[in-house]
Amino acid sequence: MATVLITGVNRGLGLEFIRQYAAAGWTVLGTCRDPDNAVEAKALAAAEPCVTLYKLDVGDTDAIAELADTLRGTAIDVLILNAGVMAERTGLGTLKAEEFQHVMNINVVAPAMLIQAFADHVAASEKKVIVGMGSTLGSIGGNNSGGLYSYRSSKAGLHAIMKNASIDLKEKAIIAIAMHPGWVVTDMGGHGADIQTDTSIAGMMAVIEQLTPDDSGRLLTYTGEELPW
């Protein structure tokens, strides 16, 4: 049975990831900052023996190391770096350094630390895939509207990390990609977004399942299309 580890499963994309992977028969390991208050994820874990929740603040590097140690010996077929944040003040004239730094820490530094901590877990698996939750908003070539300074910067940084990982982990036969989930109806995406979470997650899971080593280092959408860096 394949195993997936997903960060940030208390709501939105992460919650739908654990729901669909559990339905597909995978062993599902989900993390969030406060599992006791993650009502829907906690209920799903109670109903599905294949789902286990772990407490993890991805901004805490010691906690990342502790979880990696807890899961030592567990082969992780797919590692999905889903946890992320967006600052309230995002344009020139309203930027706040502390908010900007928080976004960069959660969206850029944390994924790098997670990859470092769990690379050997992934390398020990059959599928050997790491997915960073990127965004078309992090595409420099696709930026025609400006704004969203911290979020755009963080996703561009995440894209760079996934490209780096695709090179540095090639010797471990790990496939590392960034994925744009689409504009999804979530707390972050808003109610006016284009697609629902079930459509996004089903699409990403299908793309992940079909990945080959030649895909490593690419920025793909939930439909499998390639985006410009």
Side-chain angles (χ1 to χ4, degrees):
M1 184 181 294
T3 298
V4 60
L5 171 61
I6 308 152
T7 63
V9 302
N10 57 306
R11 60 183 181 179
L13 297 176
L15 178 61
E16 187 63 22
F17 262 128
I18 62 171
R19 182 178 290 122
Q20 291 200 28
Y21 269 114
W26 286 51
T27 295
V28 182
L29 313 176
T31 78
C32 54
R33 284 180 298 174
D34 188 359
D36 288 337
N37 287 321
V39 178
E40 292 183 79
K42 186 177 179 181
L44 183 60
E48 298 284 355
C50 64
V51 177
T52 304
L53 298 183
Y54 293 92
K55 179 181 176 63
L56 178 66
D57 178 352
V58 297
D60 183 340
T61 54
D62 289 338
I64 290 173
E66 288 172 10
L67 181 59
D69 189 57
T70 296
L71 295 175
R72 188 179 304 278
T74 299
I76 297 172
D77 290 272
V78 179
L79 170 61
I80 300 178
L81 308 171
N82 170 71
V85 295
M86 179 182 285
E88 292 183 10
R89 300 173 181 86
T90 59
L92 288 179
T94 61
L95 296 176
K96 298 293 183 181
E98 61 274 19
E99 288 185 353
F100 206 126
Q101 290 161 354
H102 177 63
V103 171
M104 296 299 286
N105 187 42
I106 299 301
N107 293 1
V108 184
V109 178
M113 301 309 296
L114 284 157
I115 291 171
Q116 178 173 266
F118 286 97
D120 287 341
H121 300 69
V122 177
S125 74
E126 180 178 343
K127 296 184 183 296
K128 297 179 174 63
V129 173
I130 301 177
V131 177
M133 201 54 56
S135 173
T136 187
L137 292 173
S139 169
I140 295 173
N143 184 358
N144 298 310
S145 58
L148 300 175
Y149 276 68
S150 60
Y151 191 74
R152 285 187 186 276
S153 299
S154 72
K155 289 305 179 180
L158 183 278
H159 295 168
I161 285 170
M162 299 315 299
K163 179 64 177 180
N164 261 9
S166 74
I167 297 167
D168 294 338
L169 299 178
K170 186 175 182 179
E171 63 182 17
K172 295 180 181 291
I174 290 175
I175 299 169
I177 68 164
M179 289 200 78
H180 169 53
W183 185 20
V184 189
V185 176
T186 63
D187 288 347
M188 186 180 294
H191 295 293
D194 293 332
I195 59 172
Q196 298 294 323
T197 54
D198 57 346
T199 299
S200 173
I201 299 308
M204 286 193 284
M205 285 174 58
V207 172
I208 291 168
E209 190 63 25
Q210 296 171 12
L211 290 173
T212 71
D214 289 340
D215 293 312
S216 197
R218 299 173 69 194
L219 170 57
L220 303 174
T221 73
Y222 74 101
T223 63
E225 299 175 49
E226 189 158 17
L227 290 174
W229 291 114

